[in-house]
Amino acid sequence: MLIRTERVSGQGIGELCANHLVLGLIYIMAGSRIERFGTIYSRLQGLLKSGALSQVDCPIWKSVYEAFPPQREPMYEREIPDQKVRPILYPEDFVRVKYYNTFGNTDVVDMSNESVKTTCQRFVEKYFDLQQKGVHPDELFDKTTEILKAENARLRSTDEIPQSISNMESNSKDDGGKL
Amino acid sequence: MSAPLSKSRALACRFFSFRTVLKNNGRVTVSCPVAMKARGHNSSQKGYSSSTSPTSQKAAAAEASPLSEDVADVDVAAKSLQHHDYFGVRDLVTVRDMFKARVHFGHKEGLRDPYMAPYLFGNRLGIDIIDLDQTLTLFQDALNFTAHIAYRGGIILFLSRHRQTMPWVERTALEVNEYSHCRFWKGGTFTNATIQFGTVTRLPDLCIFLHTQNNAFLPHAAITDSAKLLIPTVGIVDSNCDPRLITYPIPGNDDTPVTVQYYCNLFKKAILAGKKKRRLDGLEQD
């Protein structure tokens, strides 16, 4: 009795079935198609116990499953778990909120490049650096802004922007007049 | 109803092959029954109730009878089960690699499946973040199981209904000499196989789902079909997927192409490792 197995690689399921011909041994496994009752293993054990399936005819995954069972039994019927999913927040987030509310996001960020720090990240690091050094909490934000401006970071607050635009206009009034 | 052909049955057929007898040095290989008896899974010996599953047995730290020497010789495949990581696949997964591959990104809070809540690390500004520490062990278990099935000559079927990444899934199946079905799933493919294909069919021994959902955001029909026909499943479950019927679920992102490539790569390595050992250990009969 031979099993002609021609493994046709990567073929669809049609080919799968056509290429596996069992000559002489037609073998139908008894089964329980109730997927919502117990697990595949418990139903397999049930078949064994009732005698519908003999030890020899067990599927190949049985011994592997017994040696390496899943961490959780794949039962359909289970209690709805506790839906408490904690929000992920960091102490830096409060600084980030204030930063983005004041300055917005002017950076062009390459997210795949982890070595370049965004302005916000530099701000946050400097903020905590100053906080550790003992700067007064009320002054922290302003001091950090000063330091980063000194380091040539583009930090113009949203209140400053209209002012700077009007400055530019007043500076260029002569040019406008020529046109 | 067609079903997976058991390895023992296949081996029984090979008793008559002269080549087999030579390969095993005159010893005849017998699997399941004797091995099971020696392992103490026979309920009369140890008094285990047959309803005790291996999961709860392991949890209770029940002592298992050691495989006796002569039985170990008889079943070559049984030796592989004694080793925690026979194929070295558990080292293939690392948390850092998973993070780089963006495995931890779930969907938004409103899309969360309630049964996925235990697998989540938390929610970052509305986006569910999957706990990679849990995913690590679950992924290792799944890869180990996959390798063992490949080691025993099982048929593996890759399934996915994600149109964007479907070519990679098909290519992965091609590269490992296994099967894939990334097209529309017809109702009776497993459950009515004999009639639909017009011949006796051997169904897969393992179904690997790269995407557990179909294009209507409902569970893939093959999940229930596999459960019905006692076919174990390995599946990547995102935060909006239902993990209940999947035997070895792997919580992780299933939408990002980079991530799907990462999974395909790992499954490919695991299956090839299993097949390599199969050849080395002399289980390959033809």
Side-chain angles (χ1 to χ4, degrees):
Chain A
M1 289 178 213
L2 288 168
I3 300 164
R4 180 177 143 257
T5 57
E6 225 177 85
R7 190 61 61 77
V8 184
S9 49
Q11 297 286 313
I13 200 157
E15 276 74 39
L16 183 163
C17 303
N19 283 316
H20 280 76
L21 289 174
V22 178
L23 307 170
L25 252 186
I26 291 179
Y27 166 70
I28 310 290
M29 188 173 102
S32 163
R33 290 192 178 193
I34 310 166
E35 80 276 9
R36 295 190 184 189
F37 179 80
T39 69
I40 51 170
Y41 185 73
S42 70
R43 277 177 277 130
L44 186 66
Q45 274 191 311
L47 288 173
L48 269 171
K49 191 179 173 187
S50 68
L53 201 65
S54 63
Q55 292 276 16
V56 194
D57 294 336
C58 283
I60 63 174
W61 59 265
K62 181 170 178 280
S63 43
V64 187
Y65 187 104
E66 279 159 357
F68 305 104
Q71 286 178 23
R72 213 221 151 100
E73 280 174 32
M75 258 203 308
Y76 188 82
E77 245 184 73
R78 55 174 87 160
E79 292 164 9
I80 295 178
D82 191 17
Q83 294 298 296
K84 272 199 215 127
V85 174
R86 62 180 162 185
I88 299 170
L89 292 169
Y90 302 100
E92 296 93 318
D93 286 344
F94 296 98
V95 184
R96 287 182 185 133
V97 165
K98 193 159 184 203
Y99 173 91
Y100 283 117
N101 283 339
T102 324
F103 304 116
N105 190 7
T106 51
D107 273 2
V108 177
V109 183
D110 178 11
M111 289 180 77
S112 54
N113 187 359
E114 279 183 51
S115 56
V116 174
K117 290 202 174 121
T118 61
T119 319
C120 179
Q121 186 58 25
R122 282 164 58 198
F123 189 98
V124 163
E125 283 172 0
K126 186 60 69 177
Y127 186 98
F128 282 97
D129 203 25
L130 290 177
Q131 192 180 56
Q132 263 199 331
K133 285 179 185 164
V135 178
H136 196 271
D138 297 336
E139 298 168 21
L140 264 175
F141 194 85
D142 301 318
K143 277 223 164 167
T144 328
T145 322
E146 279 171 34
I147 293 171
L148 277 164
K149 273 186 179 167
E151 290 175 8
N152 296 325
R154 295 176 72 227
L155 284 177
R156 282 182 319 171
S157 72
T158 45
D159 336 312
E160 290 175 357
I161 292 170
Q163 201 185 31
S164 60
I165 289 172
S166 59
N167 282 343
M168 279 165 59
E169 283 179 343
S170 60
N171 288 338
S172 64
K173 248 184 189 136
D174 302 323
D175 297 329
K178 278 182 189 171
L179 291 169
Chain B
M1 180 187 115
S2 318
L5 208 68
S6 67
K7 176 173 157 60
S8 53
R9 190 58 135 209
L11 282 172
C13 302
R14 292 180 193 124
F15 278 6
F16 303 98
S17 157
F18 183 62
R19 210 166 16 121
T20 318
V21 173
L22 274 182
K23 244 187 185 164
N24 294 321
N25 298 319
R27 260 184 278 122
V28 161
T29 50
V30 181
S31 71
C32 301
V34 187
M36 285 299 102
K37 265 213 155 114
R39 282 235 212 96
H41 283 282
N42 191 340
S43 38
S44 61
Q45 267 189 17
K46 277 253 166 177
Y48 287 135
S49 68
S50 53
S51 60
T52 315
S53 69
T55 314
S56 46
Q57 274 181 15
K58 283 217 164 176
E63 43 119 36
S65 65
L67 211 60
S68 62
E69 200 71 289
D70 42 308
V71 180
D73 284 348
V74 170
D75 190 351
V76 184
K79 264 197 269 184
S80 66
L81 297 175
Q82 293 181 308
H83 199 289
H84 178 61
D85 192 11
Y86 191 64
F87 309 100
V89 292
R90 290 186 195 266
D91 304 322
L92 294 175
V93 207
T94 60
V95 174
R96 183 164 281 275
D97 283 342
M98 285 200 284
F99 185 84
K100 277 192 190 158
R102 309 170 209 170
V103 170
H104 56 293
F105 288 118
H107 288 269
K108 285 244 177 178
E109 196 172 343
L111 292 171
R112 190 191 304 156
D113 188 289
Y115 297 98
M116 283 301 292
Y119 299 117
L120 300 178
F121 180 74
N123 185 283
R124 174 66 170 166
L125 305 177
I127 297 165
D128 281 337
I129 303 295
I130 293 163
D131 189 354
L132 291 183
D133 291 324
Q134 286 187 57
T135 305
L136 179 73
T137 48
L138 289 164
F139 212 151
Q140 286 173 341
D141 288 345
L143 287 176
N144 183 52
F145 187 83
T146 311
H148 276 283
I149 296 288
Y151 181 70
R152 283 149 187 265
I155 290 181
I156 296 169
L157 181 65
F158 286 87
L159 293 127
S160 167
R161 275 304 270 144
H162 196 236
R163 291 200 180 100
Q164 185 185 16
T165 55
M166 175 266 273
W168 295 334
V169 178
E170 290 191 335
R171 199 210 304 159
T172 309
L174 198 74
E175 286 169 351
V176 297
N177 276 334
E178 292 295 339
Y179 302 84
S180 69
H181 187 89
C182 302
R183 314 280 169 160
F184 176 75
W185 180 264
K186 209 167 169 191
T189 309
F190 280 171
T191 47
N192 201 16
T194 324
I195 293 168
Q196 284 204 350
F197 296 108
T199 179
V200 173
T201 53
R202 180 182 163 182
L203 295 178
D205 300 297
L206 175 67
C207 287
I208 300 180
F209 289 88
L210 273 298
H211 298 88
T212 346
Q213 292 188 325
N214 60 22
N215 288 316
F217 299 103
L218 294 167
H220 198 300
I223 296 174
T224 47
D225 283 357
S226 303
K228 279 179 190 282
L229 297 185
L230 307 184
I231 300 169
T233 48
V234 163
I236 311 286
V237 280
D238 204 345
S239 69
N240 60 347
C241 301
D242 188 351
R244 287 178 288 172
L245 278 177
I246 296 172
T247 323
Y248 294 88
I250 303 166
N253 182 13
D254 65 3
D255 299 287
T256 313
V258 175
T259 321
V260 175
Q261 272 190 322
Y262 173 72
Y263 297 141
C264 285
N265 200 19
L266 283 181
F267 282 123
K268 178 182 163 184
K269 283 182 183 168
I271 293 169
L272 290 178
K275 290 192 168 182
K276 189 176 177 184
K277 277 271 182 172
R278 182 174 161 77
R279 264 180 281 119
L280 291 175
D281 288 354
L283 287 171
E284 195 94 308
Q285 304 296 350
D286 26 55

